Amino acid sequence: MHPAAGPGALLLGALGVVFGDIGTSPLYALQTVVRSDGLPINEASMYGVISLIVWSVTIIVSIKYVSVIMRADNEGEGGIMALIALVQGAKLRGRMAKVALVALGIFGAALFYGDGMITPAISVLSAVEGLKVASPALTSFVLPIALAVLTLLFVIQRFGTHAVGRLFGPVMAIWFAILALAGLAEVVREPGILRALSPTYGIQFFIDHGAVSFLTLGAVVLAVTGAEALYADMGHFGWLSIRKAWFFFVFPALTLNYLGQAALVLNSPEAIENPFFLLMPEWSRLPMVLLATVATVVASQAVISGAFSVTRQAVQLGFLPRLRIRHTSSAEGQVYVPAINWLLYVAVVALVVGFGSSEGLASAYGIAVTGTLAIDTVLFFVVVRTIWGKPMWIVVLGAAAFLLVDLSFFVANLPKITHGGWFPLALALVVFTLLTTWQRGSALVTARRAQTEGKLSDFVEDVRTIEPPVFRAPGTAVCLTSSVGGMPLALKENVEHNHVVHEAVVVVSVQTLRIPHVHPDDRVVVDDLGYRDDGIMHVLARFGFQDEHNVPGALRLAVEKGLEVPIEIAEATYFVSRITIVRGNAPGMSGWRKQLFLAMANTSTNPVDVFCLPEHRIVTIGSYVDF
């Protein structure tokens, strides 16, 4: 599930992958909060803002995610797709309730992709903009440098999360140490700022500033970005490593830095132009631009690797077509999805060029983050009630408390819609449409294909009674079928056209369960289909949604369990059905969505790659299905 390494290595790796997003929020969070709302620079307002930031991070990240929601893992895997899988397996009253909750979860996953696009853009831009402070003459180079850094970031994704974590782990350890030391130095000069840790200042801020204080939350949310990515990346390093790194290292460093920035602004109000870099000694600002740029690359890594995890789970759960997914290490869950990587890259470049500055991007940030926070809360408490069996009063109180915070942030971000916030919402609607269209279209095509294929049991009987008898060719044929008990179209077409059946026929059904991993002992179920003398047998290969679908490996396990006739896996011929999907007049889906489904189907990866079949032993037989 995560790398077989010692606790220290896991902590360092987690620093290099999981905490980059939230760890670079000090670059722009406080600056955006104060500048966007025109708040007066005085003790009351600064104490109130810092209190809001610190307690927002405490409630949303420390309590909600790290202490509570991350306990709702699906066999160690986290993220909104894992919550969807748990909800799908829950016992709910009424089918429509489950459909609505799954749809809500899918929309949350769609919002997460929006976060995955904005985070790299705003993080890298905010770091490179430090050049304006360190050396104003370099201002014109900000955009080209940011684009070059982002290009490098997406190029190195192919080397995998584990390699990136090992590379960036030490860098982020240095980053958080500097955040803590720089903040501590200013706190020592202005110890009164520690009073801002009291929640009473945040409450008083709301009383004094009315509607403006509520809108301030729209910028305060920048301090908690990365919470969902932290949850989605849980399968890479484990809950315990993430929890230790957060409470003993990351959280204290962030708190000290925010306190230090606020103390600096109180003493020097002009520092609000860029309090993060002005917090550093003048001689260190240019080196800090370089370190901050690397750190923001790590911030981007957190959401990119989270997007890979969510994509893989979406494919395995049937919300996306089969995509090319590469395992980047021996550790489960560490994958690279080329298509998603380059789509994200194109979108990020468009955002950087289109918005031009981190301040502009900040207006688009928040909607996606807060929407996902609220949806996670709803799905989590459904799990608490239906799977964990907790009393209703606990569920109601817990959900109400978290949703009060989540929805307050979400509503506070609604005014941003006209200033760029429309982008993540529009993107989420597009992704939601794609995910639901593929899910619905797949169900219709599977049903139509089952009608065309017929039953495997009928085929077995026909082979025994057909006259004249079919020719039993020497060797082993492995035929994949789309459903348990279904007849493989490739096998059916071979018999109808060639009147041939191999001496040994293994029909394989691949089943993806709603758990991340299936133990090898439970991987295969062997069935002789009622006769032990005809050489026709069925193997059900079961995989978790985070497992590699290795069919030859499953067959080797089936041989160990015992088949009715001995077979040589290395010498087997694999018959693959190449199904052409044709738009028909079947009800259940509108015409434009059928066209969209067909377009998505054309992007599907070759099943030879998906099921790890040996390319030199493949026979492909074509057929078509209309829907």
Side-chain angles (χ1 to χ4, degrees):
M1 187 174 301
H2 47 75
L10 286 175
L11 285 173
L12 195 62
L15 285 177
V17 173
V18 176
F19 295 107
D21 189 358
I22 197 167
T24 52
S25 294
L27 279 165
Y28 48 80
L30 182 64
Q31 172 186 340
T32 304
V33 170
V34 179
R35 291 178 63 183
S36 63
D37 296 304
L39 293 174
I41 306 300
N42 56 43
E43 186 175 281
S45 62
M46 292 307 299
Y47 279 23
V49 165
I50 290 301
S51 180
L52 287 175
I53 288 176
V54 170
W55 281 98
S56 295
V57 173
T58 299
I59 293 171
I60 292 177
V61 184
S62 297
I63 297 176
K64 176 181 169 180
Y65 275 96
V66 177
S67 299
V68 180
I69 286 190
M70 288 182 72
R71 296 178 183 273
D73 66 289
N74 192 7
E75 298 291 327
E77 299 294 339
I80 197 163
M81 277 295 171
L83 281 176
I84 292 173
L86 290 172
V87 169
Q88 284 181 320
K91 294 180 179 178
L92 294 170
R93 294 179 182 176
R95 179 177 176 275
M96 290 309 298
K98 182 175 291 188
V99 170
L101 286 168
V102 170
L104 184 66
I106 295 172
F107 189 71
L111 285 171
F112 180 72
Y113 282 106
D115 184 24
M117 293 177 183
I118 298 176
T119 293
I122 191 174
S123 299
V124 172
L125 259 179
S126 62
V128 179
E129 283 170 354
L131 287 173
K132 298 178 182 179
V133 176
S135 180
L138 298 175
T139 298
S140 61
F141 292 94
V142 168
L143 274 182
I145 291 174
L147 291 173
V149 170
L150 287 166
T151 300
L152 178 63
L153 167 66
F154 283 94
V155 167
I156 67 173
Q157 291 305 312
R158 58 189 294 268
F159 297 108
T161 301
H162 187 50
V164 173
R166 285 187 301 177
L167 174 65
F168 288 148
V171 173
M172 290 308 293
I174 295 171
W175 171 259
F176 285 117
I178 291 176
L179 289 189
L181 290 173
L184 180 62
E186 197 65 34
V187 169
V188 169
R189 283 192 286 269
E190 186 68 38
I193 195 67
L194 291 172
R195 294 198 299 269
L197 294 175
S198 169
T200 57
Y201 286 94
I203 296 171
Q204 189 63 43
F205 182 85
F206 272 98
I207 295 173
D208 293 341
H209 294 86
V212 173
S213 63
F214 186 73
L215 295 177
T216 299
L217 287 179
V220 170
V221 75
L222 296 174
V224 300
T225 59
E228 166 61 24
L230 179 150
Y231 182 34
D233 281 331
M234 184 171 67
H236 291 258
F237 298 98
W239 172 68
L240 186 59
S241 297
I242 293 174
R243 185 182 188 190
K244 287 180 178 178
W246 171 256
F247 282 115
F248 293 110
F249 203 50
V250 179
F251 187 34
L254 293 176
T255 302
L256 282 171
N257 195 263
Y258 283 124
L259 288 170
Q261 288 189 46
L264 174 67
V265 171
L266 277 176
N267 286 328
S268 306
E270 68 276 6
I272 196 57
E273 288 301 313
N274 200 316
F276 178 83
F277 283 104
L278 291 173
L279 189 64
M280 308 297 165
E282 186 173 351
W283 61 266
S284 69
R285 288 171 187 165
L286 190 57
M288 273 305 297
V289 171
L290 298 176
L291 179 60
T293 301
V294 176
T296 54
V297 167
V298 183
S300 306
Q301 180 62 47
V303 293
I304 293 170
S305 59
F308 292 160
S309 295
V310 169
T311 299
R312 187 184 188 211
Q313 294 177 54
V315 171
Q316 303 290 47
L317 291 173
F319 295 109
L320 282 173
R322 292 190 297 256
L323 299 174
R324 183 167 170 253
I325 298 174
R326 281 185 41 220
H327 294 262
T328 55
S329 80
S330 58
E332 293 287 350
Q334 297 198 6
V335 295
Y336 166 62
V337 188
I340 297 300
N341 186 64
W342 296 114
L343 284 173
L344 285 176
Y345 172 70
V346 171
V348 167
V349 169
L351 284 169
V352 170
V353 174
F355 283 87
S357 69
S358 60
E359 187 174 354
L361 277 166
S363 64
Y365 218 9
I367 291 287
V369 174
T370 54
T372 307
L373 293 179
I375 291 170
D376 277 349
T377 296
V378 172
L379 297 184
F380 169 73
F381 280 102
V382 170
V383 171
V384 170
R385 175 60 178 166
T386 60
I387 297 180
W388 295 359
K390 298 297 182 181
M392 181 61 76
W393 68 269
I394 291 179
V395 173
V396 172
L397 286 178
F402 284 144
L403 282 175
L404 176 64
V405 176
D406 296 338
L407 294 178
S408 295
F409 278 116
F410 182 76
V411 174
N413 274 275
L414 290 180
K416 293 183 178 182
I417 290 178
T418 57
H419 300 285
W422 59 268
F423 175 82
L425 286 179
L427 176 70
L429 287 173
V430 170
V431 175
F432 177 80
T433 302
L434 292 174
L435 295 175
T436 53
T437 296
W438 184 259
Q439 182 194 34
R440 179 58 181 159
S442 296
L444 292 175
V445 169
T446 298
R448 293 286 291 173
R449 182 170 174 173
Q451 293 176 3
T452 304
E453 290 174 341
K455 295 181 179 179
L456 181 58
S457 57
D458 293 340
F459 170 78
V460 172
E461 295 296 335
D462 290 343
V463 169
R464 299 181 69 84
T465 59
I466 193 171
E467 292 293 340
V470 295
F471 175 68
R472 301 302 295 260
T476 299
V478 177
C479 305
L480 275 69
T481 181
S482 61
S483 61
V484 178
M487 174 69 189
L489 282 177
L491 179 58
K492 182 178 181 180
E493 298 286 340
N494 195 32
V495 172
E496 290 183 354
H497 292 285
N498 302 321
H499 211 63
V500 171
V501 176
H502 282 71
E503 289 179 343
V505 177
V506 184
V507 177
V508 179
S509 300
V510 175
Q511 185 179 46
T512 302
L513 304 183
R514 290 181 181 136
I515 58 176
H517 308 288
V518 173
H519 192 276
D521 292 343
D522 303 319
R523 175 80 68 206
V524 297
V525 177
V526 179
D527 184 2
D528 61 14
L529 300 175
Y531 302 99
R532 295 195 59 83
D533 61 350
D534 60 0
I536 304 174
M537 59 214 97
H538 179 264
V539 172
L540 172 62
R542 299 184 293 197
F543 300 93
F545 60 74
Q546 288 279 28
D547 287 328
E548 183 178 56
H549 285 31
N550 190 323
V551 168
L555 287 175
R556 282 188 283 273
L557 292 174
V559 170
E560 293 175 7
K561 282 197 171 187
L563 298 173
E564 63 183 78
V565 294
I567 64 172
E568 287 291 338
I569 301 299
E571 302 299 323
T573 300
Y574 293 82
F575 286 81
V576 177
S577 303
R578 185 175 64 192
I579 307 298
T580 300
I581 303 173
V582 180
R583 176 181 168 182
N585 298 317
M589 203 172 187
S590 60
W592 70 267
R593 292 188 75 190
K594 287 186 178 183
Q595 286 298 123
L596 178 60
F597 177 82
L598 291 174
M600 294 178 70
N602 290 331
T603 68
S604 186
T605 303
N606 191 324
V608 173
D609 297 326
V610 174
F611 300 118
C612 306
L613 305 181
E615 293 186 4
H616 61 288
R617 304 201 64 82
I618 302 295
V619 173
T620 303
I621 297 179
S623 186
Y624 77 94
V625 172
D626 64 342
F627 77 116

